[in-house]
Amino acid sequence: MKKIAIIGAGRIGTSVHNMLQDEGVQASIYDIGYPESVFDEFDVFVCAAPWYATLSVIRKVMKRPGKFYFDLTEDVECGKLARAGGASATMVP
């Protein structure tokens, strides 16, 4: 089982966390003040952070091979970066 981190502990991140827990999937949730070690400790990242924090999360995940990134933002700039190509991680904007 892959280790899942949810970045963003607001209403959306908390809802995703609760839904995963209800399905028996363990996930850890972090607010935007997450420790940098999160990106080495987890395999899957669900980004539910505010738009102004999302670009930083994308940049940190995309250079890590074998990681998976799922983005819940509707921000156009974030979506373009996640789809731009050249990422070592699997990016799903």
Side-chain angles (χ1 to χ4, degrees), residues 33-91:
Y34 52 82
E36 291 295 317
S37 62
V38 163
F39 298 101
D40 296 320
E41 295 172 17
F42 291 87
D43 306 303
V44 178
F45 300 89
V46 177
C47 187
W51 65 270
Y52 58 84
T54 301
L55 285 174
S56 175
V57 175
I58 292 171
R59 288 186 181 113
K60 290 173 184 171
V61 175
M62 70 188 305
K63 61 184 173 183
R64 289 176 162 82
K67 306 290 182 177
F68 297 87
Y69 175 83
F70 298 92
D71 195 320
L72 301 175
T73 187
E74 295 178 358
D75 183 69
V76 174
E77 185 179 352
C78 294
K80 285 181 182 177
L81 178 59
R83 289 189 308 271
S88 296
T90 300
M91 308 296 284

